[in-house]
Amino acid sequence: MELRVLRYFLAVAREESISGAAEYLHLTQPTLSRQLMDLEEELGKKLFTRGNRKVTLTEDGILFRKRASEIVELVEKTEREFHQAEEGIAGDICIGGGETDAMRLIAQVARELQCQHPNIRFHLHSGNAEDVTERLDKGLLDFGMLIEPADIKKYDYIRLPAQDTWGVLLRKDHPLAARPALSPQDLLDQPLIISRQRMVRGDLAAWFQRDLERLNIVATYNLVYNAARMVEEGVGCALTLDKLINTTGESLLCFRPLEPAMKVGMDIVWKKYQVFSKAADRFLQILQDKFA
């Protein structure tokens, strides 16, 4: 399986048209069609459903697009690192993480490094812990920001000097908004919007002292921005970390901490025995100087 053919496949998946992809790739349509048929034959799977106006991905094609994208992205990242190795400390640092105010600490390190080496660029990927660790394991990220609790046994890590507070995001006109903090009893009958992350759900179940299935859960989320829109429209109250959604000024929303308090720490992690680019290695040195 050649990298060139993976790029052909991704172009067709993006354009949803063999003719459109052929034009983009500067190939003839028969040549591109032949390459795709050879790829399907090599895999033993049908990747496309060919219609009159467009081609669509089959279920196998959707999975293959994900894998092909990861392969091409990793190859391009590797090529950049080798080109940058000839240019001193420059290039790309890829960081993934969930939504947390502790990202300010990473931004401070990034700013310090940028002042020393202005040709370094940062690429941020937002996602939950499962998404971030998957990309970290595949080499698509250099570093990951994980909110505790997290499974960090297979990583090297630095615990950051920061904590986030769990609470409830709700409308300012909600009856519970008048309270300074909210207890499990306050929320038992409320429509709730909660995180899909397995470890987070375990901590919430411990705080409620009951199985989450016994609560009135009306929606789940992996990143809280869209959940906040659901709260604004009155779908439910979202259990989330503080400082992620603006609740000042004309915002319809407010944040109330949980009582008893539920606080979580932050770790920045990287693969054990990781071989870093010069840029990523310098970034890690500053992290260790500041926080280790």
Side-chain angles (χ1 to χ4, degrees), residues 183-194:
S183 69
Q185 204 64 32
D186 293 327
L187 300 173
L188 290 183
D189 297 323
Q190 294 295 324
L192 301 177
I193 303 170
I194 70 169

Side-chain angles (χ1 to χ4, degrees), residues 10-260:
L10 291 172
V12 175
R14 183 179 63 249
E15 299 292 331
E16 296 185 332
S17 164
I18 292 178
S19 60
E23 182 177 353
Y24 170 79
L25 295 166
H26 305 294
L27 295 172
T28 65
Q29 188 171 335
T31 298
L32 182 56
S33 294
R34 181 69 257 169
Q35 294 283 351
L36 294 176
M37 286 189 287
D38 289 346
L39 177 62
E40 289 178 318
E41 185 176 341
E42 180 180 353
L43 295 172
K45 299 289 184 181
K46 184 177 180 181
L47 302 177
F48 293 102
T49 300
R50 294 160 174 81
N52 293 330
R53 294 184 177 274
K54 68 177 185 178
V55 296
T56 56
L57 292 172
T58 63
E59 187 173 338
D60 289 320
I62 292 171
L63 173 62
F64 189 70
R65 178 177 60 185
K66 183 175 187 294
R67 297 290 182 251
S69 297
E70 291 169 348
I71 292 169
V72 170
E73 185 178 348
L74 182 58
V75 168
E76 291 174 348
K77 181 175 182 290
T78 304
E79 289 172 344
R80 289 196 302 269
E81 288 173 351
F82 273 87
H83 289 314
Q84 291 151 7
E86 302 170 358
E87 302 167 1
I89 299 182
D92 301 313
I93 300 174
C94 300
I95 305 170
E99 296 170 313
T100 168
D101 190 61
M103 184 57 75
R104 293 180 184 276
L105 300 176
I106 303 304
Q108 292 167 11
V109 174
R111 178 58 181 159
E112 180 176 336
L113 184 58
Q114 194 177 53
C115 289
Q116 298 173 7
H117 306 286
N119 291 324
I120 289 177
R121 293 173 299 178
F122 294 89
H123 303 279
L124 304 180
H125 174 83
S126 295
N128 61 24
E130 290 84 356
D131 182 31
V132 170
T133 53
E134 180 184 359
R135 295 179 68 85
L136 196 64
D137 293 343
K138 291 177 177 177
L140 301 175
L141 296 175
D142 299 304
F143 301 96
M145 278 273 292
L146 300 181
I147 301 169
E148 297 176 351
D151 185 3
I152 59 174
K153 294 189 295 293
K154 61 181 179 180
Y155 302 110
D156 287 324
Y157 68 95
I158 295 172
R159 185 150 291 154
L160 297 174
Q163 281 192 322
D164 281 352
T165 300
W166 275 95
V168 182
L169 192 67
L170 64 164
R171 287 177 59 100
K172 290 177 178 176
D173 58 5
H174 194 286
L176 292 177
R179 304 192 182 187
L182 299 177
S183 69
Q185 204 64 32
D186 293 327
L187 300 173
L188 290 183
D189 297 323
Q190 294 295 324
L192 301 177
I193 303 170
I194 70 169
S195 170
R196 285 200 294 272
Q197 293 191 65
R198 177 176 53 82
M199 289 188 172
V200 168
R201 291 169 71 96
D203 273 12
L204 290 175
W207 183 81
F208 275 104
Q209 296 186 335
R210 65 182 60 205
D211 194 317
L212 295 184
E213 299 307 317
R214 295 172 59 190
L215 302 177
N216 182 18
I217 297 173
V218 297
T220 64
Y221 68 87
N222 67 330
L223 296 175
V224 76
Y225 179 83
N226 287 337
R229 306 288 80 80
M230 302 280 275
V231 176
E232 285 180 344
E233 296 302 321
V235 175
C237 306
L239 286 155
T240 183
L241 298 175
D242 61 343
K243 302 176 185 177
L244 299 183
I245 299 295
N246 179 25
T247 57
T248 62
E250 297 181 357
S251 171
L252 298 176
L253 304 178
C254 63
F255 178 89
R256 296 294 178 262
L258 301 181
E259 180 61 44

